[in-house]
Every structure is written in C-alpha cells, then in structure tokens.
Amino acid sequence: MKILVIGGGGREHAIVWKLKQSPLVTEIYCAPGNPGIGEMAKCVNISVEDISALVEFSREINIDMTIVGPEGTLVSGIVDEYRKAGLNIIGPSKQAAQLEGSKAFSKKFMEKYKISTAKYNQVTSFEEGRRLLNQYQLPVVIKADGLAAGKGVFICNTLLEAEKALQEILVDRVFGDAGSEVIIEEFLEGIETSILCFVDGENIVPMVGSQDHKRIFDGDEGPNTGGMGTYSPNYTYSNEMAEKVMEQILKPTLKGIQEENMDYRGILFVGLMITQDGPKVLEYNVRFGDPETQVVLTRLETDLVEIFQKLLINQLNSIEINWSEKASVCVILASTGYPEKYEKYKKIEGLNCLDEDIIVFHSGTTIKEGNLVTDGGRVLGVTAISNSIEEARHLVYVNIEKIHFEGKHYRKDIAIK
Ligand code: AMP
Ligand code: GLY
C-alpha cells in the first residue's frame, strides 16, 4: 500500500514512524514532512492547506490511504474532497470537524447530547460579553470561537483581564474571523487529561491514556503552549475513571455523531478536566494530539494500517488493539522565547550520539546549507520507551544533554510523579 501523511510536525513524524513498521506498507509519502520524516518517508513539497493539490497528488500516484495531522486542513474540508474523488482518507468530514473548528458548535453539541462540560455563554459583542461577566466567578475563561493555533483561550483572574480578552478577540480581532464569536466559560478545577480515540460510525475506541504538560515552564508556570512533554500510561487516570468517561462522555459523543449524521471516520481527541463532580469535556480535537501521539503510538503493538482499514469500513469492533505494558516519555526541546517570539535556524548537533532506544521526533526543523537547523517553536520531541515511567524519563533526560542548539529550552519536570 502507498500511504500519504499530511503535516510536518512531531505528531506526523510519530505517525510515519508507526506506519513504517507495517508489512502492508510499500511506500510512505509525507506532505510537506520535515528532515526527520525524510529519513523514513518521501517528503512532498505540498502545503497542508493546498487541498486540491493534495487530492491531485494522491490520485496521480494512486495513494491507497491518506492520514491527516493538522486540524486546519480537516476544518477546511479535506475529507469531503477526498471522498468525492473516491480516495480513502482518515479524518472527520467538514461538518464533523466543526467539533474542533467552532467552540460554539461543540458546546451546543455537548448540551444537546448531555455531555458534561463547563457552563457557558456565547456572545458576539463586547458589551454583551461584559454584561454577562458578572454572572461568573473568577477566574473566568474567555475563548475565541474558531481555530487560533492554541492561543485563543484566556484564563482571566480579574474582571479587567476578562474585559481585555473580550476586547482583543471581539473588537481588535487579533484572531481575525476566528474571533467573531466568543465563549465565556466557567473555570473548571481538577486534573486535566486527554484521551485519544479511534472513531468510526459505529464504534469509539479509546487509546491508552497520556498526560501533556501545557505550560512553558517547570511547575506549570508561564503561558500555555502546544504541549511541552507527555507520558503514557497516565497514572492519574484510573480504570474506574476510564469506565466513567466511556459511559458519560465517549458513548454520548458517539450517539451525537450518529444522530447528527456526521461522517466521522478518524481520530477524536477529548480534552477532559477530572473535577470533583466527575469528568467534564474542555474541548474536542478532531485529530491526533501533539505531543500525545508520540507517547501513545510508541506503545501501540497492533498494526496501525490494519486499524485504519477497519475504521474505514466501520468495523473497529472486529480488531483487537494491543498496547505495550511499557511506559513512554516524550520531552519537547523548544526554542527560547516560544510560545512568543523566538529565533530560528540554529544549528542542531548531537543527534547521532544518542542511545539506541531513543527516538527523536522532529517538529520544527529544516535543512540550511546542508545543516540541520531549528525552524519552529517546538523543535524536537525526545522520546523513550522503557519498563517504567522513571526509567523512560531517565533515558530521555540523559540523552537531552547530548543534543545541542542555541537557545534550547525544555521542561525538567516532565513525568515526575
Ligand atoms: P482548550 O483549547 O479549550 O482545550 O483550552 C486550552 C487550555 O485552557 C486547556 O487545555 C485547559 O488547560 C485550559 N482551559 C480551557 N477551558 C478551561 C476551563 N473551563 N477551565 C479551566 N481550564 C480551562
Ligand atoms: N497537545 C495538545 C494538542 O495537540 O492540541
């Protein structure tokens, strides 16, 4: 089989790495990919936003299956275009991708299908928003409705901060049209956790749990990022809680997908807050998480292609999905300054001196004048799989010391119990 993966980050590198192990696969292409991915797949210079070029490429060289990484491409409707062209693709339709593409859409969906989430209001004007703020306790959460590259959520500790967030989103339009509507939301307290699931029209199958670390600095200080490190299994997530999440969240979500006639054959990533009143949904993402995928797929024993084949024909229930008992830890090496401004094109050295069992997933890297250099906020995901979280963590941190680039920043407290 010929497979195309769309995207060029650590998540896509992990997907390619896993697909590469499948005996069913003859060739893997990645658009646009990155230098790490280029070591195991053919990188194709097509932008993730150029849907017609991606369809054309897939048709031309007879791609048997396409897997989409980034949410923007899914929200733009790539799945509908592929299906129209008679091509196999893993992901939700444009309508279903609204579960991530519009927070107002997903809140209404949760309300309709009685899926527990934070109380909220949806507003379109600054004045309306300001009036409603006094119905909320502090801190209060303000969210831009549309996609904002992870920057559209403001946790506001004072009324002034909340008003400033409303102003920035609704009046200054810092996120453009993604901010034409705003969700004001109750702040939830608890333990945050994410569950990735395989979904077809009939089944929802959770993958093993993983835990991200969102803030940029140790001790969960500083601004939110795309994710600074992950581990799996998630020891904060008990089997009992997993059962509760299945009954109270995942099954009602599948019911909603069915009743709304959504074509959802892809990945659903449910962001949860485990509160004193039970699990509540913070958000849906309609794709693999980054860097959750790096630790989850390194524990997957079953052939990912076989899973996708079943998923495409709504038969996920007919395949047993096995996971390694081992633990996986991924620590992100970022550019100093991320998630705000940072410098690029710093030479990366030391990758050829690492222990054998370390896997380095590339996020923001490129080649300049024959050298591997940094090309993003998140640069590399150093990953190890071992007998315990402690062992995997130790391996990762020992090897991080061997990797050098100017401005290397990483959290030192990933996966500490
Ligand atoms: P989202 O993009 O909606 O997942 O929000 C990004 C991050 O903001 C989440 O991962 C949480 O850490 C935080 N967050 C979002 N909504 C809430 C909420 N209602 N209460 C507390 N934290 C939240
Ligand atoms: N790590 C969070 C995300 O992929 O959205």
Side-chain angles (χ1 to χ4, degrees):
M1 281 177 77
K2 288 186 187 172
I3 304 219
L4 170 67
V5 176
I6 297 175
R11 162 182 58 201
E12 289 78 18
H13 194 173
I15 295 169
V16 168
W17 174 88
K18 184 64 202 169
L19 292 171
K20 188 84 184 160
Q21 297 166 13
S22 169
L24 297 169
V25 172
T26 50
E27 280 164 77
I28 307 179
Y29 295 84
C30 189
N34 65 37
I37 293 173
E39 286 172 18
M40 43 184 78
K42 290 182 190 149
C43 294
V44 195
N45 192 13
I46 306 176
S47 153
V48 299
E49 279 149 30
D50 197 347
I51 292 177
S52 51
L54 291 164
V55 172
E56 202 181 299
F57 172 79
S58 301
R59 217 174 357 204
E60 231 165 58
I61 68 156
N62 294 319
I63 294 286
D64 295 293
M65 186 189 283
T66 296
I67 296 125
V68 189
E71 59 274 18
T73 311
L74 291 163
V75 171
S76 297
I78 190 169
V79 168
D80 307 61
E81 296 308 314
Y82 265 69
R83 300 238 158 99
K84 259 190 247 159
L87 295 162
N88 285 326
I89 186 162
I90 304 296
S93 67
K94 185 172 186 173
Q95 177 212 7
Q98 286 297 299
L99 285 173
E100 177 165 4
S102 164
K103 294 198 189 282
F105 179 96
S106 74
K107 287 300 247 188
K108 276 190 208 123
F109 176 93
M110 288 184 247
E111 209 165 39
K112 186 164 171 189
Y113 294 99
K114 302 200 166 43
I115 296 158
S116 197
T117 184
K119 284 203 229 46
Y120 79 105
N121 282 97
Q122 176 186 352
V123 300
T124 49
S125 83
F126 176 80
E127 277 313 320
E128 191 189 0
R130 192 160 67 171
R131 262 200 313 278
L132 282 166
L133 281 179
N134 60 25
Q135 297 181 8
Y136 287 83
Q137 287 183 338
L138 292 169
V140 61
V141 185
I142 310 278
K143 301 182 175 182
D145 175 57
L147 293 183
K151 298 200 171 107
V153 176
F154 297 78
I155 313 276
C156 307
N157 290 308
T158 64
L159 272 180
L160 207 67
E161 274 176 45
E163 285 178 9
K164 190 166 163 268
L166 288 172
Q167 166 83 27
E168 281 182 20
I169 303 171
L170 285 166
V171 184
D172 304 341
R173 290 293 176 101
V174 294
F175 306 112
D177 284 348
S180 54
E181 295 192 41
V182 157
I183 299 295
I184 303 177
E185 196 173 273
E186 154 201 32
F187 178 79
L188 297 177
E189 245 166 302
I191 297 179
E192 197 176 336
T193 191
S194 12
I195 303 297
L196 287 162
C197 306
F198 295 108
V199 184
D200 63 26
E202 313 285 329
N203 309 279
I204 185 160
V205 183
M207 305 183 205
V208 283
S210 63
Q211 182 71 43
D212 193 7
H213 298 66
K214 295 240 171 197
R215 304 294 193 94
I216 185 74
F217 298 125
D218 287 5
D220 292 330
E221 302 277 345
N224 260 336
T225 68
M228 291 300 291
T230 39
Y231 61 82
S232 177
N234 181 358
Y235 46 77
T236 66
Y237 189 68
S238 63
N239 288 342
E240 197 189 341
M241 184 51 67
E243 270 167 42
K244 235 187 213 173
V245 168
M246 185 44 122
E247 292 307 316
Q248 296 175 9
I249 301 207
L250 303 185
K251 283 187 182 169
T253 298
L254 180 64
K255 180 167 176 266
I257 286 172
Q258 289 169 337
E259 291 195 5
E260 300 296 314
N261 281 320
M262 291 176 177
D263 180 358
Y264 205 122
R265 283 174 280 161
I267 307 299
L268 181 70
F269 164 142
V270 188
L272 295 170
M273 190 68 91
I274 309 296
T275 73
Q276 277 188 333
D277 306 325
K280 297 191 180 200
V281 176
L282 287 174
E283 63 166 350
Y284 289 116
N285 295 313
V286 297
R287 43 149 182 105
F288 278 110
D290 190 348
E292 286 85 351
T293 306
Q294 289 84 319
V295 289
V296 168
L297 289 190
T298 44
R299 292 187 59 213
L300 178 61
E301 288 177 341
T302 309
D303 186 336
L304 185 56
V305 178
E306 278 182 39
I307 298 174
F308 286 152
Q309 282 177 325
K310 294 289 183 196
L311 183 154
L312 284 171
I313 51 168
N314 299 30
Q315 285 183 9
L316 276 174
N317 57 343
S318 70
I319 183 166
E320 198 184 296
I321 302 179
N322 296 313
W323 301 93
S324 160
E325 292 292 319
K326 289 189 169 184
S328 187
V329 172
C330 171
V331 176
I332 297 291
L333 305 187
S335 304
T336 292
Y338 172 75
E340 270 108 48
K341 265 177 57 187
Y342 54 83
E343 292 181 15
K344 282 187 184 178
Y345 310 136
K346 306 293 180 194
K347 195 169 170 188
I348 301 169
E349 289 174 302
L351 292 185
N352 49 0
C353 318
L354 306 182
D355 289 342
E356 242 175 46
D357 33 11
I358 289 284
I359 313 162
V360 178
F361 295 116
H362 288 225
S363 299
T365 66
T366 191
I367 305 282
K368 279 246 181 268
E369 292 162 7
N371 294 314
L372 183 71
V373 296
T374 66
D375 190 28
R378 293 189 292 175
V379 178
L380 299 167
V382 183
T383 310
I385 177 154
S386 198
N387 292 324
S388 66
I389 295 256
E390 290 72 20
E391 261 183 52
R393 175 174 191 280
H394 177 75
L395 265 168
V396 166
Y397 279 107
V398 165
N399 281 277
I400 281 178
E401 290 309 312
K402 304 178 191 168
I403 303 173
H404 305 283
F405 59 87
E406 196 187 314
K408 176 178 88 174
H409 165 76
Y410 61 97
R411 279 183 61 160
K412 321 241 172 353
D413 63 347
I414 303 299
I416 293 189
K417 288 195 190 183

